[in-house]
mmCIF file with all atom_site columns, all heavy atoms in Angstrom:
data_model
loop_
_atom_site.group_PDB
_atom_site.id
_atom_site.type_symbol
_atom_site.label_atom_id
_atom_site.label_alt_id
_atom_site.label_comp_id
_atom_site.label_asym_id
_atom_site.label_entity_id
_atom_site.label_seq_id
_atom_site.pdbx_PDB_ins_code
_atom_site.Cartn_x
_atom_site.Cartn_y
_atom_site.Cartn_z
_atom_site.occupancy
_atom_site.B_iso_or_equiv
_atom_site.pdbx_formal_charge
_atom_site.auth_seq_id
_atom_site.auth_comp_id
_atom_site.auth_asym_id
_atom_site.auth_atom_id
_atom_site.pdbx_PDB_model_num
ATOM 1  N N   . GLU A 1 210 ? 88.135 190.294 105.441 1.00 0.00 ? 315 GLU A N   1
ATOM 2  C CA  . GLU A 1 210 ? 88.310 191.207 104.328 1.00 0.00 ? 315 GLU A CA  1
ATOM 3  C C   . GLU A 1 210 ? 87.144 192.201 104.284 1.00 0.00 ? 315 GLU A C   1
ATOM 4  O O   . GLU A 1 210 ? 87.089 193.128 103.467 1.00 0.00 ? 315 GLU A O   1
ATOM 5  C CB  . GLU A 1 210 ? 88.458 190.492 103.039 1.00 0.00 ? 315 GLU A CB  1
ATOM 6  C CG  . GLU A 1 210 ? 89.702 189.640 102.931 1.00 0.00 ? 315 GLU A CG  1
ATOM 7  C CD  . GLU A 1 210 ? 89.717 188.659 101.800 1.00 0.00 ? 315 GLU A CD  1
ATOM 8  O OE1 . GLU A 1 210 ? 88.692 188.616 101.065 1.00 0.00 ? 315 GLU A OE1 1
ATOM 9  O OE2 . GLU A 1 210 ? 90.707 187.923 101.658 1.00 0.00 ? 315 GLU A OE2 1
ATOM 10 N N   . ALA A 1 211 ? 86.182 192.015 105.197 1.00 0.00 ? 316 ALA A N   1
ATOM 11 C CA  . ALA A 1 211 ? 85.034 192.893 105.376 1.00 0.00 ? 316 ALA A CA  1
ATOM 12 C C   . ALA A 1 211 ? 84.420 192.614 106.728 1.00 0.00 ? 316 ALA A C   1
ATOM 13 O O   . ALA A 1 211 ? 84.752 191.573 107.347 1.00 0.00 ? 316 ALA A O   1
ATOM 14 C CB  . ALA A 1 211 ? 83.967 192.717 104.314 1.00 0.00 ? 316 ALA A CB  1
ATOM 15 N N   . ASP A 1 212 ? 83.600 193.545 107.229 1.00 0.00 ? 317 ASP A N   1
ATOM 16 C CA  . ASP A 1 212 ? 83.067 193.372 108.603 1.00 0.00 ? 317 ASP A CA  1
ATOM 17 C C   . ASP A 1 212 ? 81.552 193.250 108.678 1.00 0.00 ? 317 ASP A C   1
ATOM 18 O O   . ASP A 1 212 ? 81.029 192.662 109.663 1.00 0.00 ? 317 ASP A O   1
ATOM 19 C CB  . ASP A 1 212 ? 83.493 194.570 109.398 1.00 0.00 ? 317 ASP A CB  1
ATOM 20 C CG  . ASP A 1 212 ? 84.998 194.765 109.475 1.00 0.00 ? 317 ASP A CG  1
ATOM 21 O OD1 . ASP A 1 212 ? 85.671 193.841 110.039 1.00 0.00 ? 317 ASP A OD1 1
ATOM 22 O OD2 . ASP A 1 212 ? 85.495 195.763 108.918 1.00 0.00 ? 317 ASP A OD2 1
ATOM 23 N N   . ILE A 1 213 ? 80.802 193.775 107.674 1.00 0.00 ? 318 ILE A N   1
ATOM 24 C CA  . ILE A 1 213 ? 79.411 193.825 107.850 1.00 0.00 ? 318 ILE A CA  1
ATOM 25 C C   . ILE A 1 213 ? 78.702 193.749 106.485 1.00 0.00 ? 318 ILE A C   1
ATOM 26 O O   . ILE A 1 213 ? 79.176 194.375 105.494 1.00 0.00 ? 318 ILE A O   1
ATOM 27 C CB  . ILE A 1 213 ? 78.911 195.063 108.631 1.00 0.00 ? 318 ILE A CB  1
ATOM 28 C CG1 . ILE A 1 213 ? 77.377 195.084 108.840 1.00 0.00 ? 318 ILE A CG1 1
ATOM 29 C CG2 . ILE A 1 213 ? 79.396 196.363 107.889 1.00 0.00 ? 318 ILE A CG2 1
ATOM 30 C CD1 . ILE A 1 213 ? 77.011 194.205 109.990 1.00 0.00 ? 318 ILE A CD1 1
ATOM 31 N N   . TYR A 1 214 ? 77.644 192.997 106.368 1.00 0.00 ? 319 TYR A N   1
ATOM 32 C CA  . TYR A 1 214 ? 76.784 192.928 105.163 1.00 0.00 ? 319 TYR A CA  1
ATOM 33 C C   . TYR A 1 214 ? 75.337 193.051 105.679 1.00 0.00 ? 319 TYR A C   1
ATOM 34 O O   . TYR A 1 214 ? 74.903 192.340 106.543 1.00 0.00 ? 319 TYR A O   1
ATOM 35 C CB  . TYR A 1 214 ? 77.006 191.646 104.388 1.00 0.00 ? 319 TYR A CB  1
ATOM 36 C CG  . TYR A 1 214 ? 75.879 191.319 103.415 1.00 0.00 ? 319 TYR A CG  1
ATOM 37 C CD1 . TYR A 1 214 ? 75.576 192.202 102.397 1.00 0.00 ? 319 TYR A CD1 1
ATOM 38 C CD2 . TYR A 1 214 ? 75.249 190.072 103.493 1.00 0.00 ? 319 TYR A CD2 1
ATOM 39 C CE1 . TYR A 1 214 ? 74.555 191.863 101.502 1.00 0.00 ? 319 TYR A CE1 1
ATOM 40 C CE2 . TYR A 1 214 ? 74.290 189.697 102.569 1.00 0.00 ? 319 TYR A CE2 1
ATOM 41 C CZ  . TYR A 1 214 ? 73.978 190.603 101.520 1.00 0.00 ? 319 TYR A CZ  1
ATOM 42 O OH  . TYR A 1 214 ? 72.931 190.301 100.614 1.00 0.00 ? 319 TYR A OH  1
ATOM 43 N N   . VAL A 1 215 ? 74.599 193.969 105.014 1.00 0.00 ? 320 VAL A N   1
ATOM 44 C CA  . VAL A 1 215 ? 73.202 194.155 105.383 1.00 0.00 ? 320 VAL A CA  1
ATOM 45 C C   . VAL A 1 215 ? 72.369 194.173 104.130 1.00 0.00 ? 320 VAL A C   1
ATOM 46 O O   . VAL A 1 215 ? 72.670 194.918 103.188 1.00 0.00 ? 320 VAL A O   1
ATOM 47 C CB  . VAL A 1 215 ? 73.011 195.520 106.137 1.00 0.00 ? 320 VAL A CB  1
ATOM 48 C CG1 . VAL A 1 215 ? 71.537 195.748 106.395 1.00 0.00 ? 320 VAL A CG1 1
ATOM 49 C CG2 . VAL A 1 215 ? 73.847 195.546 107.429 1.00 0.00 ? 320 VAL A CG2 1
ATOM 50 N N   . THR A 1 216 ? 71.296 193.363 104.148 1.00 0.00 ? 321 THR A N   1
ATOM 51 C CA  . THR A 1 216 ? 70.274 193.511 103.131 1.00 0.00 ? 321 THR A CA  1
ATOM 52 C C   . THR A 1 216 ? 68.893 193.368 103.757 1.00 0.00 ? 321 THR A C   1
ATOM 53 O O   . THR A 1 216 ? 68.697 192.476 104.615 1.00 0.00 ? 321 THR A O   1
ATOM 54 C CB  . THR A 1 216 ? 70.432 192.462 101.991 1.00 0.00 ? 321 THR A CB  1
ATOM 55 O OG1 . THR A 1 216 ? 69.361 192.654 101.029 1.00 0.00 ? 321 THR A OG1 1
ATOM 56 C CG2 . THR A 1 216 ? 70.456 191.094 102.565 1.00 0.00 ? 321 THR A CG2 1
#
Side-chain angles (χ1 to χ4, degrees):
E315 295 167 358
D317 302 296
I318 185 79
Y319 162 56
V320 176
T321 178

